[in-house]
């Protein structure tokens, strides 16, 4: 989705969704042999980046895209 936003001329929104995707990957990777503190930090970053991406999407009128983030 980040690439599409970049193409449409929304670089900040693209960056927010790219960060969200990276945080999701980091969260998945944290489950492999990490302690609970590492997993909790990765989950917190994932939720925060999703919230940021959602807020930016909504502010630009992309409500459907905002709904794609898992912020809870």
């Amino acid at each position: 989705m980040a690439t599409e936003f970049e193409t449409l001329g929304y670089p900040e929104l693209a960056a927010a969704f790219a960060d969200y995707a990276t945080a999701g990957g980091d969260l998945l990777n944290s489950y492999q042999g990490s302690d609970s503190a590492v997993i909790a930090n990765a989950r917190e970053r994932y939720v925060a980046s999703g919230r940021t991406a959602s807020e930016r999407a909504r502010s630009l009128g992309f409500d459907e895209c905002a709904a794609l983030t898992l912020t809870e």
Side-chain angles (χ1 to χ4, degrees), residues 5-23:
F5 285 126
E6 186 74 39
T7 301
L8 292 171
Y10 297 99
E12 289 183 18
L13 188 54
F17 273 94
D19 185 51
Y20 178 56
T22 299

Side-chain angles (χ1 to χ4, degrees), residues 17-32:
F17 273 94
D19 185 51
Y20 178 56
T22 299
D26 292 347
L27 177 58
L28 289 175
N29 290 334
S30 75
Y31 285 106
Q32 298 177 16

